Amino acid sequence: MPNPNGTQTVIDLTHTLDDHSPNWEGTEHSPFQARELGNLQRDGYYSRIFTTQEHYGTHLDAPAHFAGRAWTVEQIPTERLVRPLAVLNVRGKALHNPEYEVSVQDIAAWEAEHGEIPDGAVVMAYTGWDEYWSSQKKYRNEQADGLMHFPGFSLEAVQFLIKTRNVVGLGIDTMGVEKGATTTYPIHQFTAQAGIYHLENVAGLGLVPPSGATLVVAPVKLENGSGAPVRLLALVR
Ligand SMILES: [Zn+2]
């Protein structure tokens, strides 16, 4: 079946939404539950009712998550949801260093190879952390200080990307774009004010070329959403 617009491959960057994914609070009971309503044998059709948190599984953070009078999920303009994708590969530095923060130097290294990050792109950090997805303990990596420890972006890198490269979204294959051990969320504050969305718990970033793919960001169009489950597809030429 031919793909549209010269696309060679469509890569899924989404974890399946289920009741056995890591959750932010680290609870045994999953925030996602699905219950059968219609049974094929009994009713002639199959259907379910499900409940979930807005920030569970592969999801989008709307700017309203950390700022008043900012876009909620359904208000994010559609032209911001289909964008060039740049993937910063920091796996070698981050996979065994949960304190790692993506730096301006990582961006410079990407640009030395691929040219300037395209205007209006989504920039994702590939830390390799999704290898821990099947273990809530490893993925959350909560330590004796009571904080989670996983890699994220540095505030300097985020400010550089937004101010000088006009990115519209940030993504990462950990629980948050900000390192796990933060307690003050300076990146979330900054991006929310700037109208930038986040994509968290992203899957499969090792399969995408660092440059040249188009990202399709398709969140559930949830009224008043601070965030929502999202389907992420990378179109590769
Ligand atoms: Zn979130």
Side-chain angles (χ1 to χ4, degrees):
M1 189 171 58
N3 289 308
N5 300 325
T7 297
Q8 298 296 319
T9 340
V10 180
I11 299 174
D12 196 347
L13 301 181
T14 322
H15 289 294
T16 301
L17 186 58
D18 58 31
D19 65 0
H20 46 277
S21 297
N23 70 74
W24 183 266
E25 290 78 13
T27 54
E28 199 66 27
H29 184 79
S30 176
F32 175 92
Q33 298 293 327
R35 181 167 58 81
E36 194 176 77
L37 282 182
N39 177 283
L40 203 57
Q41 276 74 45
R42 188 185 64 218
D43 306 306
Y45 59 87
Y46 168 54
S47 73
R48 301 188 303 170
I49 185 165
F50 71 86
T51 53
T52 190
Q53 263 181 15
E54 291 177 330
H55 301 267
Y56 176 74
T58 304
H59 70 274
L60 175 142
D61 284 359
H65 191 26
F66 273 79
R69 295 189 299 280
W71 289 322
T72 48
V73 174
E74 82 285 21
Q75 294 172 332
I76 298 171
T78 49
E79 58 269 25
R80 292 182 167 245
L81 300 178
V82 181
R83 304 305 317 165
L85 173 63
V87 179
L88 307 175
N89 184 346
V90 295
R91 184 179 178 281
K93 302 173 189 171
L95 187 58
H96 300 292
N97 177 8
E99 312 306 326
Y100 191 75
E101 294 181 287
V102 175
S103 66
V104 175
Q105 289 72 22
D106 291 324
I107 299 164
W110 189 97
E111 292 193 335
E113 209 172 324
H114 307 287
E116 195 165 289
I117 287 176
D119 187 40
V122 172
V123 174
M124 298 230 202
Y126 169 46
T127 71
W129 209 252
D130 68 337
E131 292 174 30
Y132 304 143
W133 184 248
S134 61
S135 165
Q136 170 155 285
K137 192 171 167 9
K138 279 191 188 164
Y139 196 79
R140 291 181 76 257
N141 196 27
E142 185 174 329
Q143 298 298 319
D145 57 9
L147 301 173
M148 291 186 279
H149 291 259
F150 53 76
F153 284 87
S154 68
L155 180 60
E156 296 67 36
V158 168
Q159 289 175 335
F160 176 83
L161 288 170
I162 293 171
K163 287 180 180 167
T164 73
R165 297 295 181 264
N166 192 32
V167 305
V168 302
L170 297 171
I172 197 164
D173 53 356
T174 68
M175 257 185 189
V177 295
E178 192 142 10
K179 67 171 184 176
T182 185
T183 52
T184 51
Y185 300 99
I187 291 176
H188 280 73
Q189 309 287 354
F190 184 81
T191 54
Q193 294 298 336
I196 304 303
Y197 60 80
H198 303 159
L199 304 163
E200 297 173 335
N201 297 326
V202 176
L205 283 175
L207 304 171
V208 192
S211 164
T214 298
L215 180 69
V216 178
V217 179
V220 172
K221 195 174 178 183
L222 180 63
E223 186 179 33
N224 296 327
S226 74
V230 67
R231 191 69 186 264
L232 299 175
L233 300 172
L235 312 183
V236 181
R237 279 172 191 261

